[in-house]
Amino acid sequence: MLPATIENAIRQKSTVLWLNDAWQPIGEVGGRSTLGLEDVRNAERRLGRYRSLLATLFPELRAVEGDIESTLKAGDALPGLMLHTKRESGRWLMKADHELPLAGSIKARGGFYEILAHAESLAIRSGLMRAGDDPSVLLSPRTRACFASHRIAVGSTGNLGVSIGLIGAALGFQVDVHMSRDAKRWKQERLRNLGVTVLVHEGDYTTAVSSARELAKRQSDTYFVDDENSLLLFLGYSVAALRLQAQLSALGVPVDSQNPLFVYLPCGIGGAPGGITFGLRHLFGDHFHCFFAEPVACPSMLVRLATRDDRPRPLSEMGLDGKTDADGLAVTRASELVASLVQSLVSGIFTVPDEHLFEDLYRLHQSEGERIEPSAAAAFRGPDWILSSEAGHEYLSQHSLLSHLSNATHILWTTGGALVPRAEFEEFIERGRCLARQRTEASSLA
Ligand SMILES: *Cc1c(COP(=O)(O)O)cnc(C)c1O
């Protein structure tokens, strides 16, 4: 059952912060899960083994020696973007996945990882590679010929398709990307330019994924990347936690009982924010607090976690159509696999209307010059919720954080944007400028 205040907010499409009453100290979670930090470390090791192969396949990655990672940027202007928070203490950072090489979004993490793992196991099964062999054998003509007779299929709102399309096509696979009818045209174009087959389905993302899954079942040569149910995507994303830990330590930022860490992550189906949260909770335990952001039009993870129901009521029954300009988050059903893995790890989830996305991406561009896409702006009101709302105060007080806020670190995770065409971005900016002006005018009248 949803608490009445949460359900009312969802039905009215008004913003809300839900606190996870199933949150548990990591000591109580650890033993129960079949997945642990060792799995995250193994995933990182695998990515490490593939660095030189990636640098060979993609000239863009040579300078970084095949390491697909983003910078952790000082966000000096970030506190100024908060609308309700006067207290501007603490450290403010931005994890700039909008600039991840090649794919320009957080999907590079999960997508590349799953396809490399798949290619490796297919090559081993086909007798073209032995476990422990140098991954460069995947580039041999024999292996490529084998991959060329195999297909990879994925359902995507855009960014996952780009990520899978890039690595899949580079390794020589045929790639099919199934999209919903409201997938952005330029994302479809970009995929076709990669040599990927784009199939556009009537209906929403969940429908596109289901049709793709059914189709793949009937084709024995097809490997289906199941965004709704993929442990490999989850593990690929989780590696970001180890990377962030290293970056924080390089900056000399401590995370402990006196120095809490808050991370704000946009959430679609759940894999990306879920994997990262899983890794960070295992690394930083109860000193790490993570809040997901979802559009008011499709708070699917919120409903799933708040009800603890593995078959939650469809959002349409609450009058929601799932339509949002945050196309990367336009998911009406959360991944059950991810939900069950993060049920007791997540601190809470807040919701965002589309207007805030445009206004915030505009204000970020004004102050820091960053170019992010609407989905990536979803987390920007997070610190306001935590530091300046009643529910936020409740969380801070329950976790005895009120006296440590001046030492807190806030990280806004900007999940995508580098590939947005210039003209499209100009439209985002224009829309954000109007919304920002309307808001300032309204508040000066009040
Ligand atoms: C996919 C996506 C997310 C969310 O990731 P999920 O795994 O779907 O929860 C956030 N931001 C952007 C830009 C994305 O493309």
Side-chain angles (χ1 to χ4, degrees), residues 5 41 84-85 105 122 151 173 175 190 193 205 227 229 236 250 252 276 293 300 333 343 364 381 414:
T5 48
R41 294 199 193 282
H84 303 288
T85 303
S105 88
L122 178 60
R151 194 173 286 279
F173 289 99
V175 183
R190 186 170 288 272
N193 292 340
Y205 177 63
D227 200 12
N229 192 27
I276 293 171
S300 45
R333 185 171 65 200
Q343 175 80 68
L364 180 70
R381 308 268 166 134
T414 49

Side-chain angles (χ1 to χ4, degrees), residues 105-107 159 227 237 266-273 328-329 373 375-376 415-416:
S105 88
I106 197 164
K107 298 295 194 303
N159 290 338
D227 200 12
Y237 291 124
C267 177
I269 210 152
L329 315 180
E373 61 185 89
S375 300
T415 48

Side-chain angles (χ1 to χ4, degrees), residues 26-62:
I26 196 69
E28 289 168 33
V29 182
R32 274 205 328 274
S33 178
T34 48
L35 207 66
L37 197 51
E38 202 39 39
D39 300 287
V40 180
R41 294 199 193 282
N42 282 335
E44 193 193 34
R45 280 183 210 115
R46 177 183 264 148
L47 282 174
R49 285 204 306 277
Y50 278 87
R51 280 175 62 167
S52 103
L53 176 116
L54 288 172
T56 309
L57 285 175
F58 301 102
E60 302 94 313
L61 291 182
R62 281 193 198 139

Side-chain angles (χ1 to χ4, degrees), residues 58-186:
F58 301 102
E60 302 94 313
L61 291 182
R62 281 193 198 139
V64 291
E65 293 168 12
D67 189 22
I68 299 183
E69 196 43 74
S70 70
T71 47
L72 178 62
K73 296 186 173 182
D76 298 332
L78 295 178
L81 297 183
M82 298 305 128
L83 296 171
H84 303 288
T85 303
K86 303 286 179 295
R87 175 205 293 272
E88 291 179 8
S89 56
R91 303 175 197 86
W92 294 70
L93 301 163
M94 195 172 11
K95 181 63 179 152
D97 274 7
H98 63 292
E99 295 175 343
L100 272 176
L102 300 169
S105 88
I106 197 164
K107 298 295 194 303
R109 299 181 181 280
F112 274 56
Y113 181 74
E114 172 147 4
I115 298 308
L116 290 174
H118 164 61
E120 182 178 278
S121 74
L122 178 60
I124 291 174
R125 267 185 285 130
S126 311
L128 296 160
M129 184 185 189
R130 277 164 316 186
D133 274 357
D134 189 299
S136 63
V137 304
L138 297 190
L139 301 177
S140 73
R142 278 180 66 206
T143 315
R144 283 189 82 85
C146 163
F147 290 170
S149 66
H150 285 82
R151 194 173 286 279
I152 292 169
V154 62
S156 172
T157 57
N159 290 338
L160 185 61
V162 170
S163 165
I164 302 282
L166 275 163
I167 180 69
L171 286 167
F173 289 99
Q174 303 173 53
V175 183
D176 290 350
V177 175
H178 298 258
M179 303 182 96
S180 59
R181 61 170 142 59
D182 45 20
K184 297 264 183 291
R185 286 224 80 93
W186 66 266

Side-chain angles (χ1 to χ4, degrees), residues 286-302:
D286 306 338
H287 312 312
F288 158 63
H289 307 273
C290 100
F291 292 88
F292 290 179
E294 293 192 300
V296 289
C298 36
S300 45
M301 187 59 86
L302 195 171

Side-chain angles (χ1 to χ4, degrees), residues 231-245:
L231 198 53
L232 287 172
L233 285 178
F234 186 85
L235 286 171
Y237 291 124
S238 75
V239 171
L242 295 168
R243 304 294 180 76
L244 183 70
Q245 183 189 40

